[in-house]
Amino acid sequence: MDILFITGSTIERHGVATLEELLARDDGLVWVDIAQSDADAGDVLSDVFGFHPLAVRASVERNRVPKVHAYADHVFVVLHGPERGAAGHIHYIELDQFIGPNYLVTVHGPVNPAVDPAVAHRETRAVLKRIEAGRLRPDAPYELSYAIVATMARNMEEFIEYLTSEAWRLEQEVTGGDIDDSEEFLDELFQTRHGLLAVRTMAALSREIHERVFNVARFIPAEGRPYIEDLVEQFDRVRAIADGQKDYVEGVIEYYRTRTETKMTIAAERLAVIAVVTLPITALASVYGMNVIVNGRTDFVHLAVVLIVMAAMSAWLLRWAKRQGWW
C-alpha cells in the first residue's frame, strides 16, 4: 500500500499510521494506491475512510462489469482495461477508485495468474512517474483520477493500434493469396475481431460509467466537470475507433469467406461436369463388368459400337450440362 501526499510543489510518502492525520489536512491531496485489497487494506477502507461495506467488498472481489456507486461525499468506480493473453484471450484488468473531496484511493482488482502483475499497475505507475518528474501536479482528486483514466483510454487506443496492425497483415495475406494454413488463418482473424469487440465493449461501458459519474458526483466543483466530460468523449472516440476497425476485420473475413466459397462452387461445378461426362461410360462398363456377357474373343465391331455409344452419350450429356450453365 502506497500513501502519497501531493501538494503544488512536493510529493511525500507516508505510512498507514499517519493516514488519518493526512486526511485532516487541507493543503494537499491524499493518494492511497493499494496493490490488491487484503485484510489490512479492508480495515483501512472500512475504519479509516468509512466506506460502505458493499463498496469495500466490491474492491476486494473481481467485478466482471464496470460499476459506479454514488455516496454523499465520494463515488466508487470500477473500470477495466484490456490485456491480450494466449490464443487471443482478452484479460480484463480491473482498476477500482474511491474519489472523495480531498483523496483518491485506487485499488487494483484480482489479476489472472497468467497475467504479469505489473500490468495491473501500468496506469497508476505512469501517472506517478509524471508526478515525480514534475510534469503533473494535480490539485484535486478528480484531476488525479482524470490523469489515470485518460492513461487507460490511451492504452486502449494503443491496443486497437496493435490489433489493427494484425488486421492489416491478415488482409495482405488474403489479397495476396499467401495463406498456407486456412484453419490457423481463420483463427487469427476471429481472434483479432474478438479483441476489437472486447476493447469496444470496455470503452462503451466506461463511457456510460463516467456519464453517470458526471450526473451523481455533486461534490465535484464546476471547474472539475470538464475533466469528466472529456473522459466521456475519449471513451466515446475509442469505442467508435474500435467499431470501425471491427467492421474492417469483418469485411476481411467476409472477403475471405466469399472467395473461398466461390472457389468451392467452381470446383463443385467442374466435378459435376466430370461426373456427367463419365456417367454413361461408368454405366456401360458396369454392365459389361457383371460377367453376364461372355465373349471368347474380341469382337471389334461390337467394341466399336459400345465405344461410339459411350462417346455419343457423353457428348449429349456434356451439351446438356452446357445448357444448364454448369460450365
Side-chain angles (χ1 to χ4, degrees):
M1 182 185 305
D2 294 327
I3 299 176
L4 307 174
F5 189 77
I6 304 170
T7 64
S9 58
T10 62
I11 174 172
E12 305 170 1
R13 294 183 178 272
H14 292 267
V16 178
T18 62
L19 183 54
E20 292 190 30
E21 179 184 343
L22 293 174
L23 291 172
R25 294 172 60 177
D26 59 0
D27 59 334
L29 162 66
V30 178
W31 180 13
V32 179
D33 186 48
I34 301 175
Q36 186 169 336
S37 189
D38 52 20
D40 294 337
D43 292 339
V44 170
L45 297 177
S46 300
D47 299 337
V48 178
F49 287 95
F51 294 141
H52 195 282
L54 289 178
V56 175
R57 186 177 69 182
S59 69
V60 174
E61 299 175 349
R62 183 175 185 178
N63 298 278
R64 292 166 179 79
V65 294
K67 61 182 65 175
V68 54
H69 294 173
Y71 301 96
D73 61 345
H74 69 278
V75 292
F76 172 65
V77 179
V78 176
L79 298 174
H80 294 103
E83 176 67 17
R84 196 173 195 187
H89 175 69
I90 305 300
H91 296 283
Y92 279 55
I93 308 302
E94 181 177 333
L95 176 64
D96 306 334
Q97 298 178 89
F98 294 88
I99 309 172
N102 68 331
Y103 61 81
L104 175 70
V105 180
T106 51
V107 184
H108 303 276
V111 179
N112 190 306
V115 178
D116 183 357
V119 172
H121 302 267
R122 57 190 171 191
E123 288 85 12
T124 52
R125 287 183 178 176
V127 171
L128 180 58
K129 288 181 179 179
R130 292 171 58 195
I131 294 175
E132 291 175 337
R135 299 193 305 272
L136 175 66
R137 276 291 184 267
D139 295 325
Y142 56 81
E143 291 186 35
L144 180 57
S145 175
Y146 169 81
I148 295 172
V149 178
T151 303
M152 179 180 289
R154 285 195 295 272
N155 287 337
M156 287 184 180
E157 289 188 18
E158 292 178 0
F159 189 74
I160 295 174
E161 173 73 22
Y162 166 74
L163 292 176
T164 300
S165 67
E166 289 292 300
W168 284 13
R169 176 180 63 81
L170 295 170
E171 187 268 344
Q172 289 173 355
E173 291 184 15
V174 170
T175 56
D178 301 327
I179 301 173
D180 297 326
D181 189 334
S182 297
E183 184 175 353
E184 181 181 353
F185 177 77
L186 278 176
D187 282 343
E188 291 184 15
L189 271 176
F190 284 112
Q191 288 172 11
T192 302
R193 186 183 68 172
H194 171 67
L196 290 168
L197 180 60
V199 71
R200 186 258 182 220
T201 301
M202 292 180 194
L205 294 178
S206 297
R207 179 207 179 281
E208 297 301 321
I209 289 299
H210 281 88
E211 189 169 45
R212 177 65 177 164
V213 171
F214 182 83
N215 293 328
V216 300
R218 304 300 180 188
F219 62 90
I220 296 179
E223 59 269 22
R225 295 190 172 271
Y227 289 96
I228 304 176
E229 289 181 331
D230 185 66
L231 290 177
V232 172
E233 182 180 343
Q234 285 193 47
F235 284 117
D236 202 26
R237 186 185 68 254
V238 172
R239 177 193 58 78
I241 294 173
D243 270 337
Q245 294 301 330
K246 181 174 68 69
D247 291 343
Y248 176 78
V249 173
E250 289 178 349
V252 175
I253 293 173
E254 185 65 24
Y255 177 86
Y256 175 72
R257 290 180 59 185
T258 301
R259 194 177 69 176
T260 302
E261 290 171 0
T262 301
K263 289 182 178 179
M264 292 178 64
T265 301
I266 294 173
E269 290 177 350
R270 290 172 179 172
L271 289 174
V273 172
I274 294 173
V276 164
V277 173
T278 59
L279 178 61
I281 300 174
T282 304
L284 283 177
S286 299
V287 172
Y288 274 84
M290 293 168 63
N291 294 326
V292 295
I293 301 174
V294 180
N295 295 317
R297 60 186 178 80
T298 301
D299 188 339
F300 290 101
V301 176
H302 188 181
L303 178 61
V305 171
V306 172
L307 293 177
I308 291 172
V309 171
M310 287 183 178
M313 293 177 64
S314 296
W316 181 84
L317 288 174
L318 190 61
R319 182 183 179 188
W320 176 80
K322 178 69 173 180
R323 289 179 177 178
Q324 300 300 316
W326 291 6
W327 61 285

